[in-house]
Amino acid sequence: MEIKAPERLAGEIPVMNKWTFIGALFGVTSALTYNGLQRRPAIASIHRHFIGILIGSYLGYKLGQFQDRKWAEKQFIIEDYRKRNADIFDDEPVKKKGEIHKPFAPVR
């Protein structure tokens, strides 16, 4: 069993991903919450909104990078274990549910 080379390295994620948008949304929400607690209009101090977007996007990007790296490590460990213990993991054809169970006949 040969391990395939990844299409991209672990931790290299696109800049615009779901975590970037979630972080940006969190940043804008925190700016709106701050304005609400200070009894200001929602769009007051618009620079806080932009700062919240920037900081939230950066933190979201780093969170996605961390998650991708952790999943890659986990996948590497599993594939390495399968490669070292190939006798345990036989590549038998997968049985369908109908082959395992008896045919269903309703009782009335």
Side-chain angles (χ1 to χ4, degrees):
M1 182 174 175
E2 190 174 318
I3 297 177
K4 298 177 186 175
E7 296 162 4
R8 59 181 172 80
L9 296 175
E12 288 184 9
I13 59 174
V15 175
M16 292 301 204
N17 57 27
K18 74 174 184 177
W19 294 111
T20 306
F21 290 117
I22 290 172
L25 184 64
F26 180 75
V28 169
T29 305
S30 64
L32 289 171
T33 303
Y34 178 78
N35 284 340
L37 292 174
Q38 296 297 320
R39 295 178 177 255
R40 295 180 178 176
I43 58 170
S45 61
I46 195 77
H47 65 281
R48 290 181 199 257
H49 291 77
F50 291 126
I51 291 170
I53 288 171
L54 291 175
I55 292 173
S57 298
Y58 178 75
L59 292 177
Y61 175 75
K62 286 299 182 182
L63 177 68
Q65 205 175 30
F66 176 76
Q67 183 184 38
D68 190 51
R69 191 171 292 273
K70 284 296 178 185
W71 284 350
E73 283 179 20
K74 183 178 178 183
Q75 189 65 28
F76 174 75
I77 291 170
I78 290 171
E79 287 180 6
D80 186 50
Y81 182 77
R82 283 186 59 120
K83 187 175 116 179
R84 291 175 189 259
N85 302 306
D87 53 330
I88 298 173
F89 301 100
D90 295 330
D91 292 332
E92 296 177 4
V94 179
K95 294 181 182 178
K96 294 183 180 178
K97 187 175 179 181
E99 297 171 359
I100 298 172
H101 299 293
K102 295 178 182 177
F104 176 72
V107 178
R108 293 189 180 187

